[in-house]
Amino acid sequence: MPVPHPTAPVGLLRPVRREVQASGGTTAYWEYGPVDAEHTLVAVHGFRGEHHGLEPVVAMLPEVRVISPDLPGFGETAPLPGRTHDLAAYAEWLSDFVAAVAPGAVILGHSFGSIVSAAAVAQGLATPRLIVVNPIGAPALQGPRGVMTRLAIFYYWAGARLPERVGTAVLRNALVVRVMSITMAKTSDRQLRRFIHDQHDTYFARFADRDVLRDAFVTSVSHDITEYAADIAVPTLLIAAVRDDITPIEAERHLVTLFTDAELVEIPDVGHLIHYETPAPAAEAIRRFLGPSARDTR
């Protein structure tokens, strides 16, 4: 039985699962909220995750229609046929997906999804606004845990080089997933930590194969939003964590200055898991950014 979130009503969500063709493959996605909502968000999850990861934030925005796909190669979405899963492939996929399902939607990306979203918008994906949560605002090797990033690079390299059965088992190892989870969580709330660990235990190993995982990881540590910020003209909201181990808050404060029209919301006492640990402040920042017509109707 899933561990409940202590504050976000995730258990009350009743999304509708759908599928659509995008970039030559079949994308699984979930639709939340009223179909006639004034605002529609397309929510792009982070590395090794899937659509479930953003549900605590979605649960705090019941008045907003949210469309949340599993990225190609993760969750219930198969890899893109015949493609290397690099940033070009993911950005093209996102543009195709939005065009097919929700043209004109606001785009939201978390962590790795923030890079994909920023790249797609910079390259022409039409959206009225862009929201990035825990944005990757600096090269990963320059972050507070650069040594840990180097260890992660070795881990994914080894998983790709070992015999396939052994390498896949290493990449799906429950102990490694738990170490990742413990490292990222900042909260001292025991129930919330249980929820976070349960989420990672349940969903972090749901990648299609080690090749997709390697490609996505290399992409995640080879790019950051600073490459695309100057080419993004739409209003942009950055929701950043003061204790983020991947992008230090100083880098986020610099990143916001690179956009034509952007604002930064800083959330204290949280790290790279804003979507799990502080969904209410994140949702409120999103609601305010969408405008006065977005009101909490709970």
Side-chain angles (χ1 to χ4, degrees):
M1 183 175 179
V3 175
H5 193 285
T7 59
V10 174
L12 299 180
L13 293 172
R14 296 292 182 269
V16 177
R17 184 190 184 280
R18 305 186 190 278
E19 293 184 352
V20 70
Q21 294 296 304
S23 288
T26 302
T27 295
Y29 69 97
W30 286 257
E31 185 172 342
Y32 305 78
V35 295
D36 59 348
E38 182 167 357
H39 298 285
T40 297
L41 290 177
V42 170
V44 186
H45 65 76
F47 175 68
R48 282 194 76 146
E50 51 159 67
H51 72 281
H52 285 98
L54 292 170
E55 285 191 333
V57 177
V58 173
M60 307 299 276
L61 292 167
E63 76 280 13
V64 178
R65 178 178 176 234
V66 178
I67 293 172
S68 189
D70 283 348
L71 284 165
F74 295 90
E76 297 183 29
T77 297
L80 298 173
R83 296 291 298 270
T84 298
H85 288 70
D86 55 16
L87 187 55
Y90 278 118
E92 177 188 303
W93 162 82
L94 180 58
S95 293
D96 286 354
F97 174 79
V98 172
V101 173
V106 174
I107 308 300
L108 180 150
H110 172 257
S111 188
F112 175 58
S114 74
I115 306 174
V116 174
S117 299
V121 172
Q123 294 165 13
L125 170 58
T127 181
R129 294 174 183 267
L130 173 65
I131 302 167
V132 286
V133 182
N134 285 122
I136 306 300
L141 290 174
Q142 295 179 14
R145 291 183 178 264
V147 173
M148 293 294 290
T149 301
R150 288 178 173 84
L151 289 174
I153 290 172
F154 175 76
Y155 168 69
Y156 287 105
W157 174 85
R161 290 300 184 92
L162 289 167
E164 183 172 0
R165 186 173 180 180
V166 176
T168 300
V170 166
L171 293 170
R172 288 198 166 106
N173 184 272
L175 178 60
V176 173
V177 170
R178 178 55 61 91
V179 169
M180 292 178 186
S181 189
I182 291 171
T183 300
M184 289 189 290
K186 303 301 182 188
T187 181
S188 59
D189 184 308
R190 292 185 178 181
Q191 178 64 18
L192 183 52
R193 291 184 74 88
R194 285 186 62 227
F195 173 83
I196 292 168
H197 297 333
D198 180 65
Q199 288 280 300
H200 289 147
D201 291 348
T202 303
Y203 302 118
F204 248 42
R206 296 187 65 191
F207 53 87
D209 56 56
R210 63 179 184 168
D211 293 332
V212 168
L213 190 64
R214 178 202 60 224
D215 289 351
F217 176 74
V218 169
T219 298
S220 73
V221 297
S222 301
H223 298 277
D224 64 81
I225 300 179
T226 61
E227 301 171 47
Y228 307 102
D231 295 321
I232 295 174
V234 300
T236 301
L237 172 65
L238 289 72
I239 304 177
V242 172
R243 299 177 62 191
D244 199 326
D245 290 324
I246 294 179
T247 302
I249 193 63
E250 292 79 10
E252 306 287 28
R253 291 166 182 163
H254 171 68
L255 174 62
V256 72
T257 68
L258 304 181
F259 289 85
T260 300
D261 181 3
E263 62 176 290
L264 172 65
V265 171
E266 299 182 17
I267 302 183
D269 302 320
V270 67
H272 203 66
L273 302 180
I274 284 175
H275 57 310
Y276 287 151
E277 296 190 39
T278 56
E284 187 52 41
I286 292 167
R287 180 175 291 113
R288 180 185 56 77
F289 182 66
L290 292 178
S293 57
R295 292 285 184 251
D296 189 349
T297 58
R298 285 176 294 167

